[in-house]
């Protein structure tokens, strides 16, 4: 432990003061953000930015934001050491490419779902048309819906009378009973 001047308690040197081989004062700007047990944090920041620049950057912001600034500097320095050419921009670019790739995959899955739903509805319409033809109902567009299916028949072969009364109720009942015999 190094004793600081005055009546203050002894201060354990921070990682910055250890690396720079200087006495760590109680008001050292690096002490709260670069503890002695994490020397690699300050070493990377010092290698990229320099101690005086880091000190200036920490002093220019409010004390409540200094921890975030120190963490940001550590991240930027480690990214620059990993990728000296692109640094943080390389990591951001890789994440953007990954997001675009995932968005394209999501769009492809959505298109596949739409194709499946369309196929499913086409199969249901074909089945309904087959059932209505088997029961003797006309499938011309002028007697039913625009799809060619009678408006009186649902896809589950239940008989429903249309609101536009295009086929009288007695006619539907008569056709139904005659198709069963």
């Amino acid at each position: 432990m190094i004793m600081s001047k005055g009546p203050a308690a002894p201060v354990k040197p921070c990682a910055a003061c250890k690396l720079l081989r200087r006495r760590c004062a109680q008001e050292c700007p690096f002490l709260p953000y670069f503890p002695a047990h994490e020397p690699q944090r300050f070493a990377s920041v010092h290698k990229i930015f320099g101690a005086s620049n880091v000190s200036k950057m920490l002093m220019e912001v409010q004390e409540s934001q200094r921890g975030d600034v120190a963490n940001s500097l550590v991240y930027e320095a480690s990214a620059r050491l990993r990728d000296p050419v692109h640094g943080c921009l390389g990591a951001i670019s890789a994440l953007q490419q990954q997001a675009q790739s995932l968005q394209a995959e999501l769009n492809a899955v959505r298109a596949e779902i739409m194709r499946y739903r369309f196929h499913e509805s086409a199969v249901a319409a074909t089945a309904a048309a087959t059932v209505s033809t088997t029961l003797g109902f006309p499938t011309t567009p002028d007697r039913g819906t625009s799809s060619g299916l009678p408006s009186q028949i649902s896809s589950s072969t239940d008989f429903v009378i249309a609101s536009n009364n295009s086929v009288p109720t007695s006619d539907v009942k008569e056709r139904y009973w005659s198709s069963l015999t």
Side-chain angles (χ1 to χ4, degrees):
M1 300 273 175
I2 299 174
M3 300 292 291
S4 63
K5 296 181 182 178
V11 176
K12 187 175 180 181
C14 64
C17 292
K18 268 188 175 179
L19 183 74
L20 300 173
R21 295 185 181 152
R22 63 182 188 189
R23 181 175 275 181
C24 190
Q26 202 168 18
E27 56 277 343
C28 176
F30 304 117
L31 184 62
Y33 314 109
F34 300 104
H37 65 276
E38 295 179 2
Q40 73 282 357
R41 281 176 52 97
F42 184 76
S44 62
V45 170
H46 175 64
K47 188 172 186 173
I48 299 299
F49 299 106
S52 64
N53 289 332
V54 173
S55 176
K56 288 176 188 174
M57 286 186 249
L58 288 173
M59 292 301 151
E60 286 180 3
V61 296
Q62 297 175 0
E63 193 169 342
S64 61
Q65 296 175 336
R66 289 180 186 164
D68 294 334
V69 169
N71 289 335
S72 178
L73 290 172
V74 169
Y75 179 78
E76 289 180 38
S78 61
R80 182 61 65 183
L81 290 172
R82 276 192 311 268
D83 185 0
V85 174
H86 298 106
C88 288
L89 185 60
I92 292 169
S93 177
L95 289 173
Q96 285 176 336
Q97 288 175 352
Q98 184 179 10
Q100 288 172 350
S101 169
L102 291 172
Q103 185 64 46
E105 186 178 338
L106 179 62
N107 290 341
V109 168
R110 285 180 176 161
E112 186 69 25
I113 289 171
M114 292 302 293
R115 280 193 294 275
Y116 176 75
R117 285 182 181 166
F118 177 74
H119 176 71
E120 209 174 54
S121 65
V123 168
T126 303
T130 304
V131 168
S132 66
T133 304
T134 304
L135 294 176
F137 289 105
T139 57
T140 57
D142 58 334
R143 292 276 306 189
T145 62
S146 62
S147 67
L149 297 177
S151 59
Q152 292 81 17
I153 299 179
S154 70
S155 63
S156 64
T157 67
D158 293 332
F159 289 91
V160 178
I161 304 302
S163 60
N164 63 2
N165 293 325
S166 61
V167 178
T169 305
S170 60
D171 190 9
V172 171
K173 288 180 183 178
E174 187 178 295
R175 286 185 194 178
Y176 176 73
W177 289 113
S178 67
S179 69
L180 293 177
T181 56

